[in-house]
Each structure stands twice: as C-alpha cells, then as structure tokens.
Amino acid sequence: MLALPPLVYYMWICMVDHGGAFYIPTSIDELLALVKRVPAPTRASTLFVVLWFGGQALLQIYAPGDWVQGSPLPDGRRLKYKMNGWFSFWLTILGLFFCCWMGWIPATFLWDEFGPIMTSINILTYVLCLYLYFKGKASPEQTYTGRVMYDYFMGTQLNPRVGNFDIKLFCEARPGLTLWVLINFSIAAKQWQLHHSVSTPMMLVSLFHFFYIMDYYFHEEAILTTWDIKHEKFGWMLCWGDLVWVPFTYTLQAQYLLTHTGELPLWATLGIIALNLAGYAVFRGTNIQKHHFSRNPDHLIWGRPATFIQTVRGTKLLTSGFWGIARHLNYCGDLMMALAWCLTCGVHNLLPYFYIIYFTWLLVHRERRDDAFCHAKYGKDWEEYRRQVPWRIFPGIY
Ligand code: NDP
C-alpha cells in the first residue's frame, strides 16, 4: 500500500519526462522535485471521476442484461449477477466517440488529465476501501481476522453488496477495464495531434487491448467462476488493483509509443499479431472450457465427452482439453498476449516490458496460491489432479 501508488506515478513520470527511461534521482533536491511532480486533483479530474463512476454504476444498475446465478457460496447460497457489461461497454465507447466527434470533449482529455485523474481515483479508492472495511465489520458474516491493516488490505467481505449492486463485480470490470481502453485511445489521439499520424505499433496495441476487453465483456459470465469472484475478499488489494493499477499501468505501452513513433518491420508486425492471436486462442479457450464444464459437465470438449476427477467435496476437476495439458494454461495464453503487447514497443527500453515482467510474477504467484488453496480444499483429489496434469502453466517448462 505504501510502495505501489508511488510506483505508478514514478513510471508515468519516467514516460513523460524521461522518454521512457528509468530515472534515478541522485540528490535530495532531485528526489523532492520528483515527489512534487505528483499532481493534485483538478476540477476537471474530480468532475470526470464523479461522472465516470456514477455513469458506470448507473449502467450496471439499469442497462439491459440477463440475471445469472453465480457459483455456490460456502453456505450453499447462489448470488445473482446482472450481466450487462457488453451493452454498457459499447454504449460507453460509442457515446464517448460521439461526444469527441461533436467536439464536446477533446479526444486527448484522458491523456491531458492523466496525472490528476490518477490522483483523484487513488483518493477515491482509499476512501472506498475504508467504507468496505467498516461495512464488512458490521456485517453478520464476520469474515475478517481482526488485524486492521490486513483486513483493510485483503478485505472483510467476499461479496460486498448494496442491495443487488455487487461492488466487487462492478470494480473488477466497469470503471477500470473500460478506462484502460479509453486512455489508450486518448493517447493515440494525442499522437495524431502531435504528429498528424498514428503509428502502426500504437494502432496494434490499442486494438489488442480493445479486443481483449471487448472479449471480456462478450464472455462476461465467465468471471463468475474465476478465483477473484469465488474466493478473494474485496479489499484494497483488489480494489486499488482494479481501479488504479489496471488503467494507469496497463497503458504503459501506449504511453511509451506516444513519443516513440518508429515503425516495425512487416515481419515483426505479422509475428506480433500471430502471437497475440495464438495467446488469445489459448487464454479464451481455456477459460471458456472450464466455464462451460462447470455449468454442464456433459458439455463436449474438443468433440469428446469431458474427463474429470470426481472430488470427495462434490466438485468435478476437469482433466481433458486445455485443463489436461497444464493446470493453468489460461495464464500461459494471457502471458503470450502480454508479450505481444510489449513487443510492439521494440527492444530498446525496459520500461514498456514492465507489464510482462510484473504479470509473469503475478500469475506465477497466483498459481501457487490457487494450488495451495485447492490442495487444502480437495486434499488427495488435488494430488491426483497434480499427478495427472503435472505442468503448472507452461507445458514442458513449468
Ligand atoms: P482460474 O479461472 O483458472 O480459476 C481457478 C479456480 O478454478 C480454482 O481455484 C478452482 O476453483 C477451479 N479449478 C482449478 N482447476 C480446475 C479444473 N481442472 N477443473 C475445474 N475447476 C478447476 O484462475 P483465475 O481466476 O486466477 O484467472 C482467470 C483468468 O483471468 C485467467 O485467464 C487469468 O489469466 C486472468 N487474469 C488476468 C489478470 C489481469 O490483470 N489481466 C489478473 C488475474 C487473472 P473451484 O475449485 O472453487 O472451482
């Protein structure tokens, strides 16, 4: 909580003030100058954040969509979720394009106000997490440890809700993921304003990210069987990650490409597109297989009946299709896409590769947590799954 917010500002300052190179202050004065670069919220950023979060919340409540049952909770209940992300995403994107087209909002607004918006959302996140902390403590579930900082960080409730409004589902996607895509577009617009053209790498990275998020909304229901929704309580870690980390660091490649306008050779462009598509096929294929299987175990996998381990707890562990190749092939696909995105920035600087470095660490760590969690949950059945499917993420390697 102390290190990550400064890191996000630091990387942004490296991008805008130091051409994407790591900047190490060598004196106290330089360090103070760096700290002073952290922008205060502006009137525009505050207004934007209020309208953005308010608008996205209204869409989550009122936009049309099916109500879908989530996975069974430990007490057997199943919560209902309104799946209207696809509609909300398109309405937001097309609505904002229209506003920019009409000249009501400058297309470069999000990049011009990037720093102040980041500060405004940081403040909002800390306050929201305080609310979540006390909300959890006041709830009858009593699912917290009593250690204040730990509970603030990890969360005090699995599914904090106000009425039917699920705060975790909302924050996991709407304000952060859609903002990520929009910031990319705003940076591309800035490149157009500065250079009267948009480079191929900028187009590639903006489209890759757009496609990734569009796909997420298209398969929105699949989030209901993910680790975050099923097992992770909603505290600072997830909330800040969703609202600040994702939109402001996942756009690092576009930030870098704004001023590094060199083009890639055709073979590199085609290679990057192929890597992204292959990664996508593995990522989406794996996630959707588990999702279909958990909804209907008779669902055919690659044209054949699924094979699985029937656990003593009652759950079935899929052992065919992608889930028979590695225990988390979805992470492998995600990392292949991450590499494709970073490669759009060429190989001259390390900072645009921050995403793949951090993401590899995150997913390796996440897989280990999930493995320990599943082992504790399924015991000998999980050991049998490990025996049948020995690879964790990368078949033949890890
Ligand atoms: P998974 O979707 O793989 O979910 C893991 C859970 O699935 C386990 O806890 C277990 O839960 C169940 N499970 C595990 N193995 C099996 C099996 N063989 N058969 C049936 N169920 C099984 O993990 P995540 O939620 O971590 O990731 C979902 C996606 O989100 C991934 O593609 C990942 O790459 C992506 N992601 C992206 C991030 C980003 O910042 N871009 C961050 C994190 C994730 P149970 O037993 O309770 O069913």
Side-chain angles (χ1 to χ4, degrees), residues 71 177 180 212 222-223 225-231 245-246 250 283-284 286-287 290 293-294 315-319 323 327-335 341 355 358-359 362-363 366-367 370-371 373-374 377-378 382 385:
S71 300
L177 293 186
W180 165 16
Y212 185 71
I223 196 178
T225 49
T226 61
W227 161 275
D228 282 1
I229 294 293
K230 287 177 76 173
H231 307 302
W245 183 258
V246 167
Y250 287 19
F283 159 83
R284 178 47 63 208
T286 310
N287 285 328
K290 183 184 73 170
F293 177 73
S294 70
T315 319
K316 294 178 172 62
L317 292 172
L318 182 59
T319 54
W323 296 85
R327 300 201 295 270
H328 264 109
L329 210 62
N330 47 356
Y331 292 178
C332 176
D334 222 342
L335 287 169
W341 304 347
Y355 180 67
Y358 134 82
F359 203 42
L362 176 113
L363 292 182
R366 195 175 168 95
E367 189 280 331
D370 189 44
D371 189 65
F373 177 86
C374 289
K377 187 170 166 188
Y378 297 120
W382 190 254
Y385 181 45

Side-chain angles (χ1 to χ4, degrees), residues 230-285:
K230 287 177 76 173
H231 307 302
E232 200 84 84
K233 283 188 265 180
F234 195 57
W236 189 91
M237 183 181 78
L238 273 192
C239 185
W240 185 85
D242 293 336
L243 302 181
V244 178
W245 183 258
V246 167
F248 297 103
T249 67
Y250 287 19
T251 50
L252 271 177
Q253 292 114 28
Q255 295 177 37
Y256 180 82
L257 292 170
L258 173 61
T259 49
H260 298 80
T261 51
E263 293 291 349
L264 292 166
L266 182 64
W267 63 265
T269 304
L270 294 177
I272 288 170
I273 293 173
L275 180 62
N276 188 68
L277 290 177
Y280 170 75
V282 173
F283 159 83
R284 178 47 63 208

Side-chain angles (χ1 to χ4, degrees), residues 297-371:
D298 297 330
H299 185 82
L300 292 184
I301 300 224
W302 294 342
R304 294 190 183 161
T307 62
F308 55 84
I309 296 167
Q310 176 65 60
T311 67
V312 175
R313 278 184 72 110
T315 319
K316 294 178 172 62
L317 292 172
L318 182 59
T319 54
S320 58
F322 289 110
W323 296 85
I325 300 173
R327 300 201 295 270
H328 264 109
L329 210 62
N330 47 356
Y331 292 178
C332 176
D334 222 342
L335 287 169
M336 286 162 72
M337 283 190 284
L339 181 62
W341 304 347
C342 294
L343 285 170
T344 59
C345 298
V347 289
H348 304 295
N349 230 315
L350 189 60
L351 200 49
Y353 284 79
F354 176 79
Y355 180 67
I356 179 91
I357 296 167
Y358 134 82
F359 203 42
T360 305
W361 171 82
L362 176 113
L363 292 182
V364 166
H365 177 255
R366 195 175 168 95
E367 189 280 331
R368 290 194 167 249
R369 276 182 76 200
D370 189 44
D371 189 65

